[in-house]
Amino acid sequence: MAAFVGSSGFMGKPVVAKSQVCASKRAAPIKMTAAGEADMVPDMNKRNIMNVFLAGAVTVPFGAVVGGWLYFLYPPSKGGAGGGVIAKDALGNNVLKADWIKTQGKGARKLVQGLKGDATYLIVNEAGDDLDSYGLNAVCTHLGCVVPWNAAEKKFKCPCHGSQYDRTGKVVRGPAPLSLALAHVEEGASGEVVLKPWTETDFRTNLPPWWK
């Protein structure tokens, strides 16, 4: 009987001790793992630096795209004070007034690139010593063809549908409904020809300009 009791007591003790030891061993690694993960979290300064780099990586491409669109929609001015532009010849060079008059001769009506990039006639006066104070937009007011000057008939004649304009660009035959648009012609500080918008009454019709 004593042997049995001793034996029972001997067998009961290891069960409790083994359970406690296993629990203790399992808890230790969990605590160490948690501490290891905490060590890997960046401090506040590092996170702020990372946020700055991330914001820059997103902002720079976005700014480039938006800037490109704004440049396309609102291109920079191409020179000329007061809303004017410097006239360009067929090669894209600035037109100098004195050289143009000398080259073209009296009564000439020749094309340059003018306001909004439109083909525009510069007119040398009949004396051959100056330009007329106005230029003529060469775009037909019917369907937009470029109207050539017919020196023999002394009028502008549209090759597309037969519209005609007199020497000042006033419409004299349809189907074009309106006269050619006007532009002011001035001389710039360096002798270049400057074209500026015509906003006052059309001297040919005594009406407000239709192209405003």
Side-chain angles (χ1 to χ4, degrees), residues 18 61 67 194:
K18 185 176 181 180
V194 178

Side-chain angles (χ1 to χ4, degrees), residues 7-202:
S7 176
S8 297
F10 176 79
M11 293 177 64
K13 290 180 180 180
V15 172
V16 176
K18 185 176 181 180
S19 175
Q20 291 176 344
V21 171
C22 292
S24 175
K25 289 183 178 180
R26 286 197 301 269
I30 295 176
K31 185 176 181 181
M32 292 176 63
T33 302
E37 291 177 349
D39 291 340
M40 295 177 64
V41 176
D43 60 23
M44 185 58 69
N45 290 334
K46 291 182 179 179
R47 279 182 284 176
N48 287 339
I49 294 173
M50 291 170 64
N51 289 338
V52 169
F53 281 113
L54 179 60
V58 173
T59 302
V60 171
F62 178 77
V65 172
V66 173
W69 276 106
L70 291 176
Y71 185 90
F72 175 77
L73 294 174
Y74 304 100
S77 173
K78 295 184 178 180
V85 298
I86 298 174
K88 305 286 186 180
D89 63 18
L91 299 177
N93 300 316
N94 291 348
V95 173
L96 301 178
K97 180 180 176 180
D99 293 344
W100 187 265
I101 293 172
K102 182 179 179 180
T103 302
Q104 304 302 330
K106 62 181 181 180
R109 286 162 170 77
K110 298 294 183 179
L111 290 172
V112 296
Q113 179 180 308
L115 296 169
K116 300 179 181 178
D118 287 348
T120 302
Y121 282 103
L122 294 181
I123 304 171
V124 180
N125 65 16
E126 293 302 322
D129 59 0
D130 203 355
L131 292 176
D132 280 353
S133 61
Y134 65 91
L136 297 173
N137 189 310
V139 178
C140 183
T141 60
H142 179 219
L143 291 178
C145 298
V146 173
V147 181
W149 167 248
N150 188 313
E153 298 184 36
K154 297 188 181 302
K155 63 177 66 174
F156 297 95
K157 299 180 69 175
C158 183
C160 297
H161 303 96
S163 297
Q164 297 183 17
Y165 307 82
D166 70 11
R167 61 194 300 125
T168 67
K170 181 180 180 180
V171 63
V172 294
R173 176 178 174 179
L178 300 164
S179 300
L180 299 177
L182 297 168
H184 286 289
V185 175
E186 301 179 5
E187 184 175 1
S190 301
E192 67 275 9
V193 175
V194 178
L195 296 167
K196 294 185 177 181
W198 187 292
T199 59
E200 57 269 35
T201 300
D202 185 341

